[in-house]
């Protein structure tokens, strides 16, 4: 593999360039017998789709996923599920002027170094458009998780300097504003901030927070494959992520042990309750049964309409002003990508974790 | 694999419990022909070794690595390199009282859920002692990297609330203080802070910063296996890490595109120079030739000498006061572990990246 | 992964059922810079295509591969290459009577046990039709190998009791007969044999031999990943293969050491020559520079037009006579599949083998 | 990984050279809760141990495996199990004359090409001695399989031209003769044959047959990772194997479909019975519940005491007569290695197969 496959047991391989004919995903290892609802795939793709807010690229894509295999009479069969999304609005001529220049903040220069050749149209494989395939695959993973009562919810936590106020948190507000923020007041402020930035052809970064509930305790692998390590990798695999926190995150470094440790108590039903959740639901790389909580920090979109200093492929200094459509903020569209990567990770780890005890195998094989 | 193997081409498998007879690592995929200096392995092990400062556990371990295979006449042969470290100071009786209680902040409860059985002596496999094997393997990876002129340097960036002042940064100071800080003034402050904490039997967290220089541009894989994603996973695989930043990190989320983008200029020698390094040396998951910079945030050591509320394996509420040796701060000892994980990651990615172009294969196979 | 991915560095994932809308392959890890000739892909697909001889199923499929990604301006870019083949002649009604019966010699029963649900139309994923995707991917691997002067040639070695006579071996005859035999006389005999079998609605097995030339010495991994072990796995992954030989094969077991050892001599040009090739080009799992030679033994096609005893999904004994199109012999069509699997294996091992020595890395990274 | 790791979920990494200080294995992924009997490990090691028959090398090795991790209070804990075997009788001086010559039939030349450096003492990593580590790991896998009522039995099927007569098959005879043959008469003939060969300093090959019973139906993966494909790879990974058959093997190629298909009938207890087992227990790469049957063909031991033509590392023709201890036949000692590789394969596939259906996950996670 060379980077485009994720997961060990629930495995997704994505392919496709921003301006090629199509992009897609192949899932191998999805258990058989899951009733697969194509509308739920479409719903997630629609959340990521461009052209839906004043702050997103106006590129027009239907982003409809065709299921080409692995489903029979409405159920998964255990064989690979191929998902195909045709690119419709390719408008390659927008990008021809970028063939001979390296855009700052993009992967142009590094792909050039690595491969010696690159599809410069819209970033090719390094484009955020690649995440459409992840979202489609993630929507399949979510249906597996739903069979096991696991839910994943992400939202915009901050845009530029505007953070949500936890006291205003309202889950119903999340999808009631184009910035996908759970705090209507913060959403309004962020909206003003973005309108201003747009006028100066600049762009903003932001933060996505993600909460995963219903994960049984005992999921995750020790040492190198800790569940939090894999979730961090999953988040960093999304273009533009520069930091990831689990639970208490960076705050943890300034706390004392007595402040940070989550104490245990026996609940009225006999189960074990944690008094706090600084751990973010994971201890020693393994789920403890509480909600898993993480944050991903995104840099501002590198495509800006302001003149920048850069160099040409021929080795000369040039000034570059990027024109054409681009997102002044990608964070709201990245919310569903964060959910997708979390879903793919959890699906994989549930499969991996199923065989940690010999008693599990004895039960499954009736021995 | 079930968590104890790291890397795809330069692969390390570690094994061993805190209070078992030994621990070790097997490296498979180390290229042949590297002169292997055992003293450099020992030097790194000594940096991690307990008992070297007033703020580290007084456990006494020689931590000598025996090389059992893969080296012939002083050179690596390309076959697996087995490294063995005997545990000497096992003192298991210290831990017998922990068999029937779940320590807050530790992996006791989650291992119990996952495996149904756990070696409770000193945390077993979840102990920080496991990292001795990583450090030994990392020291081999560093010798590979040295053959390619790549250097890795980490240091303590913060302890509790005490951060280094970049203006005081002095590389020669790093190893001149037991806290491994590159700022003597900060080190003195942190030392006072820790002395105070120790008196109250509490513990502190902190931050390690790591800089990797000499990485050729073009190293890293796209999409899911981005170099920064893998470095983040590597860092989160170290026990107690709650956040990781690459380059501008969390600051990136508050910046605008025009502030964050690193502009390019042609240098006097014709090479491409970046005017800043917010990217932290990685764009689109692939190295750009500038230094790679990251930070790992550690939570405070969970073993504290203060009474805590917890539960027993029998399902009752109990009060726990942990006695015996433990580190009030693990950050200074974790510095070399951060370096080791970075080294293992880079070694792996250099091998993986070697075949990105057909022209590379044609050169190697003289075709 | 769950079975549908092959290779570690040059990786192919296939997907698609016999009677679904399409099937395809995604190649990840193909080096950048290979000029990709789509006609060569089509040529191999045409060799596997049904309906081309009196002894093959008359199913009519154009089997045209669409390249959806990974190629830009005629060259591979190093990113995933997605290949799509639409199924055209699905005629599912032929198979509806097979929903409630397990066909002897097919995977119907075992898929039922494993997944609890199966696409019974034409064998679903277990159909030989799946190999179309392998052949398309194999044709890409062959173009990589051609850049390194490596050639792969397979042919029918035996059909039922009719073996080729090595003295009649003529490479030009291979593609001059529909049985793909390099011996015109044997081809005629086999043809008579098959005509007879066809009249009794029975089927035949056979043997494919494969020769790989131009492999540099030193390719292959030790111990578990020996090159011959992986080639054997590759061959056994083709439906119906029941035995594989490398070099001297089963004959080796009856020979003495002095008969079997291949002696070395220095050739007039100073290179090392082997006096014989019982090893089949591989020693200790690593190529020795001589031609690699292997044979794959195929069982007779299990779909026969003769009444057979079997059981229904409801658990009753039933008699089954399979009607409709099927191949009385699959061996001639399997020849190109054998070549494809050999090509995929070699491509993968060349990439893996490139980093066995530190001097290789130093050359590639100019250090 | 670079060849020394086997398995995806039940994973074994072996290390160590023939004449290094030790060799060993690390198992990662063994489920927790298996009572581990060290005597069963020793029993298998003793079956492989040299010096036990007139036809095996007189090298004297205790071959005692030390368990260094992963077992607590007699049970597996789910963490890596490290097994260490010290080399005692290294007598390196026997081999110093082989530093500058490539032995015919050995891996000397190919390791030289691949790595540029090789441990020439007794074949280093390519030595049959490496299989001691596999046998130790295989003995752990067998204890996992025993918990699931799966048994593996192998024996010598042929030595040189002497085959067992199926009519004489007596399981009690297997371990009653040093050639591990289940037919006393054949064992006596083979013994005479070997005595003769030994007098001429020559060596013999042979065949090992292996039968696996109790495998639940539905184990194995489709397409590339078929259970038979992986068993074949496992067998070919043992040094000297030149052919592998599953079920009907090479005979299949000469049979007709009506002869080869295994018909189904409903048994008196309602289960499905196969009337024959040409499939060897596997259809479409997945177990069908009948015994799995395979054969591995071994070439004659390449070390012979007869003068051979070869070349030196300096590039000159030389004559070589190998002196010192060596086995005139390795087949009887390879029987337990075949069992070990079969056990490691089955253990891995049982873990992989456990999650093929969503209903399995729902049961395990009580959802």
């Amino acid at each position: 593999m060379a980077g485009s496959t994720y997961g060990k047991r629930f495995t997704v391989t994505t392919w496709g360039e921003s301006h090629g004919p199509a992009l897609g995903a192949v899932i191998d290892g999805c258990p058989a017998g899951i009733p697969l609802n194509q509308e739920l795939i479409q719903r997630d793709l629609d959340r990521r789709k461009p052209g839906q807010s004043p702050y997103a690229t106006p590129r027009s894509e239907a982003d409809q996923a065709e299921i080409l295999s692995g489903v029979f009479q409405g159920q998964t069969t255990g064989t690979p599920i191929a998902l195909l999304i045709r690119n419709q609005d390719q408008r390659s001529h927008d990008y021809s002027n970028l063939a001979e220049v390296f855009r700052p903040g993009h992967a142009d220069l590094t792909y050039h170094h690595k491969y010696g050749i690159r599809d410069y149209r819209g970033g090719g494989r390094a484009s955020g458009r690649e995440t459409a395939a992840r979202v489609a695959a993630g929507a399949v993973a979510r249906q597996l998780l739903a069979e096991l009562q696991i839910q994943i919810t992400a939202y915009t936590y901050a845009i530029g300097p505007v953070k949500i106020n936890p006291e205003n948190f309202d889950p119903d507000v999340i999808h009631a504003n184009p910035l996908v923020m759970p705090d209507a007041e913060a959403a309004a402020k962020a909206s003003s901030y973005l309108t201003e930035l747009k006028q100066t052809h600049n762009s903003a970064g932001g933060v996505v927070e993600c909460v995963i509930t219903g994960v049984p305790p005992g999921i995750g692998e020790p040492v190198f494959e800790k569940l939090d390590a894999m979730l961090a990798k999953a988040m960093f695999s999304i273009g533009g992520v520069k930091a990831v926190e689990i639970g208490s995150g960076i705050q943890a470094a300034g706390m004392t042990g007595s402040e940070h440790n989550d104490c245990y108590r026996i609940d009225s039903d006999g189960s074990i309750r944690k008094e706090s959740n600084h751990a973010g639901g994971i201890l020693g790389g393994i789920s403890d049964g509480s909600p898993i909580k993480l944050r991903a920090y995104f840099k501002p979109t590198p495509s800006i309409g302001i003149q920048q200093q850069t160099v040409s492929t021929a080795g000369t200094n040039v000034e570059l002003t990027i024109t054409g459509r681009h997102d002044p903020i990608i964070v709201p569209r990245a919310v569903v990508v964060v959910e997708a990567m979390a879903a793919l990770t959890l699906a994989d780890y549930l499969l991996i974790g199923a065989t940690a005890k010999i008693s599990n195998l004895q039960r499954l094989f009736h021995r």
Side-chain angles (χ1 to χ4, degrees), chain A:
Chain A
M1 281 159 293
S4 291
T5 296
Y6 185 75
K8 291 214 166 91
R9 297 298 308 142
F10 187 98
T11 307
V12 179
T13 302
T14 70
W15 54 268
E17 278 83 26
S18 171
H19 286 65
L23 38 84
V26 182
I27 300 169
D28 197 19
C30 183
I34 302 173
L36 201 66
N37 184 342
Q38 187 152 7
E39 282 171 34
L40 293 178
I41 300 174
Q42 199 56 49
R43 198 179 64 183
D44 277 359
L45 280 171
D46 288 348
R47 289 171 61 198
R48 200 211 71 93
K49 214 167 66 174
Q52 302 191 111
S53 93
Y55 314 115
T57 167
R59 174 171 174 161
S60 159
E61 290 288 353
D63 277 357
Q64 284 193 313
E66 195 181 349
I67 299 176
L68 294 177
S69 65
V71 178
F72 185 59
Q73 298 176 337
Q75 291 203 335
T76 59
T77 60
T79 60
I81 302 171
L83 300 159
L84 179 76
I85 302 167
R86 291 272 171 192
N87 285 328
Q88 297 180 322
D89 183 3
Q90 304 177 17
R91 284 205 271 173
S92 295
H93 56 282
D94 286 349
Y95 294 92
S96 56
N97 64 320
L98 297 177
E100 281 154 17
V101 70
F102 300 120
R103 291 170 300 165
H106 279 279
D108 297 353
L109 177 66
T110 56
Y111 271 60
H112 171 81
H113 274 302
K114 182 175 182 64
Y115 299 115
I117 175 176
R118 69 191 164 94
D119 183 345
Y120 51 77
R121 299 168 302 167
R125 185 77 181 136
S127 166
R129 181 139 185 78
E130 178 271 330
T131 60
R134 304 190 192 200
V135 167
V140 175
R142 291 170 90 122
Q143 297 188 46
L144 182 162
L145 297 179
E147 297 284 322
L148 302 168
Q149 274 91 63
I150 299 169
Q151 301 294 334
I152 298 177
T153 307
Y155 41 81
T156 302
Y157 177 84
I159 284 182
V162 185
K163 284 194 177 58
I164 63 165
N165 178 348
E167 290 181 16
N168 295 346
F169 189 96
D170 180 351
D172 295 337
V173 170
I174 296 176
H175 296 295
N177 69 85
L179 298 179
V180 200
M181 288 181 120
D183 169 354
E185 206 176 299
K189 273 191 214 161
S191 189
S192 308
Y193 174 72
L194 289 173
T195 302
E196 219 170 296
L197 270 183
K198 218 184 156 181
Q199 282 161 357
T200 56
H201 307 289
N202 215 332
S203 64
V207 185
V208 176
E209 188 164 80
C210 182
V211 181
I212 310 164
T213 56
V215 179
I219 299 301
E221 301 299 306
V223 189
F224 298 113
E225 303 282 322
K226 292 183 163 85
L227 179 54
D228 38 356
M230 194 56 80
L231 284 167
K233 182 186 164 195
M235 296 306 137
F236 267 105
S237 80
I238 305 172
V241 170
K242 301 303 290 178
V244 171
E245 298 180 299
I246 308 278
S248 55
I250 62 166
Q251 307 294 340
M255 293 166 79
T256 64
S258 63
E259 287 165 354
H260 193 273
N261 283 349
D262 301 317
C263 289
Y264 300 119
R265 292 283 87 177
I266 297 294
D267 226 336
S268 52
D269 67 352
S271 69
I272 297 172
R273 188 183 75 231
K274 276 167 54 189
E275 297 284 48
S276 53
N277 191 11
H278 295 119
I282 301 175
L283 278 167
I286 298 169
S287 64
D288 66 11
S290 354
I292 294 172
K293 209 165 179 174
L294 60 88
R295 289 197 196 117
Y297 289 74
F298 288 80
K299 72 176 187 184
T301 321
S303 285
I304 54 175
I306 298 171
Q307 182 176 296
Q308 297 179 87
Q309 296 190 323
T310 187
V311 296
S312 71
T313 56
T316 57
N317 287 327
V318 294
E319 313 306 303
L320 172 72
T321 305
I322 297 174
T323 56
R325 62 198 182 194
H326 63 262
D327 299 39
I329 179 83
I330 58 154
V331 170
R333 291 178 60 204
V335 165
V336 69
V337 182
V338 164
E339 288 180 1
M341 290 309 303
L344 293 173
T345 304
L346 263 294
D348 195 38
Y349 270 70
L350 283 160
L351 268 62
I352 290 172
T355 53
K357 291 183 249 188
I358 187 70
S359 55
N360 283 4
L361 290 164
Q362 287 166 326
R363 281 174 62 199
L364 288 181
F365 296 120
H366 311 283
R367 307 283 158 120

